[in-house]
Amino acid sequence: ACKILDMHGEPKDLDNNEKRSAARSASRGSRSESSTLDRMLYSSFPSNLRPEIYVRQNPVPNAYTLAFQGRRPFIVIHSSLIDLMTPEELQAVIAHELGHLKCEHGVWVTMANLILLATQSIGGELLNQVSTVLSNQVLRWLRAAELTCDRAALLVAQDPEVVLSVMMKLSGGGSSIGKKLNVKAYMKQLEMFEDATKSPMGRMMGRAMTEGLTHPLPILRAKELSAYANSTEYKNLLISARRI
């Protein structure tokens, strides 16, 4: 099965028929739309090795990468995501997906899944315990991978509010209210979450909300991104890029 790495929601495993269906249902879009997306892709990843980009008609805002062995990878963007995002936000989404490809996350996920399948197929109480531990570690790694790609989005956007706005809109935005949402008001939810998880019971509830997820909670992604945006490492990277 091929692993789809998406910006929001749970990754899906596709069998061969679903792979073909996903590829057929995505199109290059209109000439003007395609050229706009291609420009965003090129400015984010100026290389001849960059993937192709496709638009898929779907009411659920999402974007994901597909990579098949021996073939050029491509990014699929749902039409509703294009309607929801500003051009700057859409470029941040593309940069996030490029982060998955650049870090070869799909390769590592496939290797981890093969190990899990091997331990589960052998069976036995000890190996079942090992499988559970490995599964939890894989989920932790997947959540960390999303944070890495959020940083990739920030390195391209170079504006924390743009990437935070993407997270906010994917959490609860819509095309009719997207422009009315406020990033600063959204970030206040982080203070509320941190206050709610200060007690032992709150911390336990916080862990329970995250365990079993392939993506961190959106508000925690926002917290990590804000911390990185204020870090010396990020600022030094921007200075180095300007020198080049």
Side-chain angles (χ1 to χ4, degrees):
C2 175
K3 184 67 68 175
I4 288 182
L5 296 170
D6 56 322
M7 183 73 175
H8 182 67
E10 298 298 302
K12 303 174 181 68
D13 286 316
L14 298 185
D15 59 27
N16 288 332
N17 290 330
E18 289 171 320
K19 290 178 193 175
R20 287 190 286 269
S21 175
R24 283 197 300 267
S25 61
S27 70
R28 288 287 290 165
S30 66
R31 179 169 295 182
S32 60
E33 181 182 66
S34 178
S35 62
T36 299
L37 294 174
D38 283 339
R39 283 196 300 271
M40 291 180 180
L41 182 63
Y42 183 80
S43 61
S44 302
F45 194 69
S47 167
N48 293 330
L49 300 177
R50 62 185 178 277
E52 292 185 303
I53 192 164
Y54 292 86
V55 177
R56 185 180 186 186
Q57 179 68 34
N58 195 301
V60 180
N62 204 355
Y64 47 84
T65 61
L66 281 169
F68 302 100
Q69 186 174 5
R71 296 189 180 183
R72 185 179 176 186
F74 58 90
I75 297 172
V76 177
I77 298 177
H78 288 182
S79 55
S80 53
L81 186 73
I82 296 175
D83 294 335
L84 181 61
M85 301 294 169
T86 66
E88 294 78 14
E89 291 164 354
L90 189 57
Q91 186 167 40
V93 171
I94 292 173
H96 177 101
E97 297 306 322
L98 287 171
H100 282 303
L101 291 173
K102 184 67 175 177
C103 296
E104 299 184 337
H105 286 156
V107 175
W108 295 106
V109 170
T110 300
M111 290 176 62
N113 285 336
L114 289 173
I115 295 172
L116 286 173
L117 286 173
T119 56
Q120 291 169 358
S121 63
I122 296 173
E125 184 176 348
L126 178 59
L127 284 177
N128 284 337
Q129 292 176 1
V130 171
S131 177
T132 299
V133 172
L134 284 174
S135 179
N136 289 335
Q137 291 300 315
V138 169
L139 288 172
R140 286 185 63 185
W141 183 89
L142 287 172
R143 292 193 291 269
E146 291 303 318
L147 299 180
T148 297
C149 294
D150 289 342
R151 292 182 175 189
L154 178 60
L155 287 170
V156 170
Q158 297 186 16
D159 183 350
E161 285 211 6
V162 170
V163 187
L164 291 171
S165 182
V166 171
M167 296 175 183
M168 175 183 65
K169 289 182 177 180
L170 289 176
S171 298
S175 57
S176 61
I177 64 171
K179 294 180 180 178
K180 301 177 183 178
L181 297 176
N182 185 282
V183 171
K184 290 183 174 62
Y186 176 67
M187 292 303 291
K188 288 183 179 178
Q189 296 181 33
L190 176 58
E191 298 175 13
M192 297 170 61
F193 181 85
E194 290 183 330
D195 288 340
T197 54
K198 284 181 179 177
S199 66
M201 179 62 71
R203 286 192 293 272
M204 184 178 70
M205 292 293 292
R207 286 193 296 270
M209 292 172 66
T210 303
E211 287 179 0
L213 297 179
T214 59
H215 289 54
L217 296 175
I219 198 64
L220 295 181
R221 290 175 71 175
K223 175 185 177 181
E224 293 296 331
L225 184 78
S226 295
Y228 181 66
N230 292 318
S231 70
T232 303
E233 178 186 355
Y234 170 67
K235 293 173 183 177
N236 287 340
L237 281 172
L238 291 186
I239 293 171
S240 300
R242 292 191 186 104
R243 287 173 181 168
I244 295 172

